[in-house]
Structures are given as structure tokens and as C-alpha cells.
Amino acid sequence: MQSINPYTNQLIKTYQNHSETEVSQIINDVDLTFHEWKSTRFSFRKELMDKLAEKLEEQKEVLADLIVSEMGKVRKEAIGEIQKCAWVCRYYAEEAKGFLQNEEIKTEVSHSYVSFQPIGTVLAVMPWNFPFWQVFRFLAPALMAGNTGLLKHASNVPGCALAIEELVADAGFPKNVFRTLLIGGSEVKSVIENPKVKAVTLTGSTPAGKSVAVAAGFVLKKTVLELGGSDPYLILEDADVKEAAELYVASRLLNAGQSCIGAKRFIVMDSVYETFKDEFVKQMKAVSFGDPMDDGTTIGPLARVDLRDELHEQVEQSVEKGATVLCGGFVPKGENAFYPPTVLENVGEGMPAYHDELFGPVASLIKVKNIEEGVRIANDTVFGLGAGVFTKDLKVGQELAEKGLEAGCVFVNDFVKSDPRLPFGGIKESGYGRELSSFGIREFVNIKTVVVK
Ligand code: NAP
């Protein structure tokens, strides 16, 4: 396994993959620990989880440097990512006990209730785009619920994977409560099949989600899948177009466009289309891309050269089929994985920019006659992760959010963001199950009915 800095294209470090025997030993150790960990008190877990939050904050500069070097996001975003991890640790440290309290249900017997019991060791297959946040939003609720965890991180961020394992141990958690497996995607199936692994969660692309679902389905293990998205945003006639453009450019360019909930398709009413387009393109063009360690840089390189090339191919294919490039749309000279902020218009059916996820700083503009056409196009996708509406009429916005747009999270007059207090997840090919909030912590527990006659 190799870490390659996408800004310099230099090899940072080579890591030895775990052998089959090592993987099996780690799973045994984690399973043994589960049988002790599950009986610990919430107050003890809380103490350790708060300590983990402290460790993250103490080491945020060093951890941010590690993130930047392995996947290229700008440093200030990497620091923000570590702080958000500390937030989710403190959130579940505080709330887990309440979320998992017994729930009394009145029946004709003397005592009937629901108890939420840990289920055991859960495998987390994670992506590189938020290499700490994606892991922590699984780790914090899982450990607080009394489960133990195994991390199979993306192969390009082994340094982050090992740093997380070390942080958990440094915070005082028993050594084998949370372990990293240095393995490739092809070895995930055999880990899922190990009887000591009780469930699996995957955050990543839809194809990876499907193969994990098949493997887990075959051995009947619970899965949560957080997959890709091509989030649509409706810009209505009465929208404050300047504000909409400002917010949506920020969303499209966050993490150099490599966010599952990045705003990707902008569906704009005819009457405000030209004004929105001018403002949006102006702001996309104003963005500087460069050294991710530099505070003045808005976007760094993409995480890998092959991912950048794949994105450019999607842009080229869309252009061949009739899309127009308003800015960007070229591969800059140099060894690194840069792609410039790009805006495409005349995006329509049959183009990758219309149907597929464009995982980089590329925005698709689509002009529509009215709200009905807008909603139809917004929903004309296999994905259903996030969506948004911009309008001054909050009643219309809320109605579209609740009943019109097919997605797991819809934001009115803002872009979709994850927040530990709110459930997060998708529908359709964006996956199933929820992370965060009380919903997230209840995914990997045995919702046990207890009846005492
Ligand atoms: P990816 O290629 O699907 O990889 C994600 C993880 O799955 C990696 O650990 C990868 O391991 C593993 N993997 C890949 N193929 C697998 C297979 N057939 N069986 C088992 N494991 C497999 O995705 P990515 O490129 O890292 O991340 C980008 C994708 O993640 C985008 O589609 C994005 O939208 C999505 N995402 C979704 C969310 C969400 O919450 N919904 C959040 C963030 C990202 P290797 O690295 O070893 O291949």
C-alpha cells in the first residue's frame, strides 16, 4: 500500500499489507475485547470518548498535515475536519446513554420494553475524501453503543488509518476496541464472511456498496451504505441569485469538489438563469487552485491522478454530446492531480454530467421552464443523497423539500451539510440506513424486545 502526495506526485511511504493470518488474529483480538467492552458503563465510555476529542484537538495541526499529504485537501479544511471529529466524539459521549435508554411499551403484561444491546464487531469500509470524518462518524456511536470496530480504509490513506487506530489507543480505550486492517477492497468479502464480524458499514461509491451488500447479504449480516450522489439544487424565480451562487460555489468546491453531498446539478428557472449563470461562473473563475498547504489556496489537487483523468473524461464525453464549457474543462500542465473549477451548460440526457456523479470541481447548469420540470429533472437520477431549493417563499421551499425532491436530506436556502445532531443518509442508489443523531447509533444495536409476564 502506498501513500502518494497528489500535490507533488511523490511517494510518501510504503506500507506492508496485513497477511491473512494477521487479519484473522486482529479480528480474534477485537472480538475477544468486545465481550469485555460491551459490559462497560456509559460513564466509562464517555470519559474515554471525551479524552479522544481532546487528543484530536491537541494534535489537529499534525493530523491535518497528514490528511493534506495523503489526499490533497487544503489545510484549513483538514483542520476543520479534525475539529468536526472532536465534535462528534463529544456529541455521542453526551447523548449515547439517552439514545440507548430502555423504552417502556405498555401491553397487558406487567413489564414490556425495548432494550438496545451492542451487536459485536462492526467492519467499516471507508473512503479517502474525508479520511477522518467518515471514520469518526462511524466510530463514535459504535464504541459508545458498546460495539468494537474494524477499519478497512481506502488504500491511498493508510497513514490516516493507522493514526486513527493510534489516537483511540492513546485516549485510553482498550487496545483492541478499534483496529485498522491494511487490506485491499478484494479482501473485504472474506472479512465479512468471518463469523466474528457481525455487521458492515461502507461509505464509498455505489459499485463498492453493491459488492459489499452482496457479500453481506449472502451471510445475512446487517449493512449501512453511504454511497455516491449527484445532488440537484433548484433555483426558483424569486431566489436571491447572488446569495445562491455564493453558497453553491462554496458547496461545489468544498474538498476540491470531492464530496458526496457537494451541490452538483444546478437546475435554474428560465427567468433567472442568465443572472445566476453569470454570477456563478464569475465566482468559479475567481477561485485559486494551488499548494494545499498554503492558506491562500481555495482548492488543492484531486486525490489521485487517475481520478482526475476519469473526471476529465466525463467532461469531454458530456461536451461531445452537446454540453458547453463556460470555464475550466482542461487538464493543467504538471505532474500533479489538479483540475480547475469547471462549469458546463446545456447539460442534458445521455451525458455523464446529467446522469453520473462528477467527483471533482465540475458544476452542471440546466435551464428549466418551471418548477414541475425542475423537480422532474432533479429526480431523474439513480441517486438520492442530498438536494436543495433556493427561494424566498419558505412555504414553497419546505413543500418541495418534504414532498417534491427524492433525497435523504433536503436543505432550503443552504447547501447540505452533515451535522452530528441530524440523521444523514440516502435513498435509491445513494444507499440505505442512517448515520449520526439517534438514528445512527441505533443502526448497529440489537433492538431487543423484553417481556416479563
Ligand atoms: P470507493 O472506490 O468506492 O472506495 C471506498 C472504499 O471501498 C475504499 O476503502 C475501497 O478500498 C473500498 N472498496 C472499493 N471497492 C470495493 C469492493 N468491490 N469491495 C469492498 N470494498 C471496496 O470510493 P472512493 O473513491 O474512496 O470515494 C468516493 C465515493 O464515495 C464517491 O462516490 C462519494 O460520493 C462516496 N461517498 C459517499 C459518502 C456518503 O456519506 N454517502 C461520503 C463520502 C464519499 P480500496 O481503496 O482499497 O479500493
Side-chain angles (χ1 to χ4, degrees):
M1 229 171 251
Q2 293 185 329
S3 281
I4 294 172
N5 183 325
Y7 177 61
T8 60
N9 211 14
Q10 299 294 309
L11 177 72
I12 306 167
K13 198 170 167 183
T14 302
Y15 296 81
Q16 184 62 49
N17 281 29
H18 284 131
S19 67
E20 228 173 275
T21 319
E22 285 169 321
V23 168
S24 155
Q25 185 60 51
I26 293 171
I27 297 174
N28 283 347
D29 293 345
V30 173
D31 177 58
L32 275 177
T33 305
F34 168 69
H35 296 282
E36 293 159 22
W37 180 246
K38 68 177 182 182
S39 314
T40 54
R41 299 171 71 86
F42 275 111
S43 55
F44 177 60
R45 293 180 209 158
K46 176 183 185 322
E47 207 179 291
L48 299 181
M49 197 53 74
D50 281 330
K51 191 89 196 143
L52 182 54
E54 261 173 52
K55 292 265 166 210
L56 282 160
E57 277 168 350
E58 274 166 27
Q59 297 174 35
K60 66 173 188 270
E61 306 279 336
V62 181
L63 298 172
D65 289 350
L66 176 63
I67 295 178
V68 177
S69 68
E70 286 198 315
M71 57 69 65
K73 76 171 62 189
V74 290
R75 192 167 185 276
K76 51 183 180 280
E77 286 184 16
I79 289 181
E81 181 172 338
I82 299 295
Q83 281 166 331
K84 198 166 173 180
C85 294
W87 179 19
V88 81
C89 289
R90 292 207 173 94
Y91 172 77
Y92 278 111
E94 198 56 43
E95 305 291 346
K97 188 176 175 193
F99 290 155
L100 300 178
Q101 212 134 50
N102 289 351
E103 278 183 14
E104 196 68 36
I105 299 179
K106 278 217 171 318
T107 62
E108 54 286 347
V109 300
S110 67
H111 195 26
S112 45
Y113 64 100
V114 180
S115 158
F116 301 94
Q117 295 298 317
I119 54 167
T121 297
V122 184
L123 169 68
V125 183
M126 289 290 151
W128 46 262
N129 64 337
F130 293 90
F132 271 68
W133 169 242
Q134 303 295 359
V135 176
F136 272 83
R137 72 185 196 184
F138 155 74
L139 179 162
L143 268 45
M144 284 306 296
N147 293 318
T148 44
L150 288 166
L151 169 64
K152 179 268 174 280
H153 218 325
S155 294
N156 54 332
V157 290
C160 291
L162 292 169
I164 294 169
E165 180 183 77
E166 202 177 310
L167 274 162
V168 175
D170 280 358
F173 284 89
K175 181 169 181 266
N176 292 308
V177 155
F178 189 85
R179 294 291 305 275
T180 283
L181 299 173
L182 293 178
I183 55 172
S186 59
E187 287 150 279
V188 166
K189 185 169 173 278
S190 67
V191 176
I192 293 173
E193 285 165 353
N194 187 312
K196 290 178 173 146
V197 173
K198 303 298 182 213
V200 54
T201 181
L202 177 136
T203 302
S205 61
T206 298
K210 286 181 181 175
S211 40
V212 160
V214 168
F218 203 71
V219 284
L220 285 181
K221 290 184 185 171
K222 165 96 188 243
T223 48
V224 166
L225 300 175
E226 298 284 356
L227 310 177
S230 183
D231 291 5
Y233 281 73
L234 292 178
I235 295 107
L236 304 193
E237 263 182 14
D238 65 348
D240 180 333
V241 169
K242 197 159 183 261
E243 196 190 341
E246 210 165 285
L247 277 167
Y248 291 163
V249 165
S251 171
R252 183 62 296 225
L253 296 184
L254 185 81
N255 209 28
Q258 304 162 114
S259 166
C260 53
I261 44 165
K264 291 177 186 141
R265 293 179 296 135
F266 302 92
I267 301 166
V268 193
M269 298 305 127
D270 209 345
S271 56
V272 286
Y273 181 80
E274 290 301 323
T275 335
F276 178 81
K277 176 176 100 176
D278 291 348
E279 195 57 46
F280 191 84
V281 172
K282 188 174 93 189
Q283 295 192 30
M284 288 285 273
K285 276 183 172 166
V287 160
S288 63
F289 58 100
D291 184 349
M293 290 299 281
D294 189 340
D295 280 347
T297 303
T298 314
I299 64 168
L302 301 199
R304 298 195 314 254
V305 171
D306 62 303
L307 295 170
R308 189 274 313 276
D309 293 345
E310 209 177 288
L311 176 70
H312 184 57
E313 208 175 302
Q314 290 174 307
V315 169
E316 283 195 315
Q317 280 176 14
S318 301
V319 171
E320 269 166 34
K321 293 186 165 153
T324 319
V325 177
L326 297 177
C327 66
F330 61 92
V331 172
K333 285 204 173 67
E335 294 288 289
N336 40 36
F338 278 119
Y339 202 69
T342 298
V343 183
L344 300 176
E345 74 168 341
N346 298 318
V347 170
E349 277 185 55
M351 300 177 192
Y354 185 89
H355 297 287
D356 302 338
E357 181 180 35
L358 267 55
F359 212 55
V362 182
S364 302
L365 302 188
I366 301 170
K367 181 160 62 175
V368 290
K369 288 189 290 296
N370 51 40
I371 294 180
E372 289 67 38
E373 189 189 3
V375 171
R376 183 187 62 73
I377 290 176
N379 293 338
D380 186 20
T381 168
V382 296
F383 298 113
L385 191 55
V389 189
F390 222 93
T391 173
K392 290 203 179 83
D393 189 334
L394 297 187
K395 212 166 149 235
V396 169
Q398 210 171 313
E399 182 76 10
L400 286 168
E402 228 178 274
K403 303 194 178 119
L405 293 164
E406 295 168 1
C409 328
V410 187
F411 280 41
V412 180
N413 294 336
D414 202 352
F415 56 87
V416 177
K417 299 166 187 139
S418 59
D419 177 324
R421 298 163 296 184
L422 299 170
F424 184 93
I427 57 169
K428 296 156 79 177
E429 290 202 8
S430 291
Y432 49 74
R434 292 293 177 265
E435 289 192 294
L436 304 175
S437 79
S438 60
F439 290 88
I441 198 168
R442 288 182 175 190
E443 289 284 1
F444 293 119
V445 288
N446 174 10
I447 302 173
K448 189 183 251 182
T449 301
V450 181
V451 175
V452 184
K453 197 167 171 197

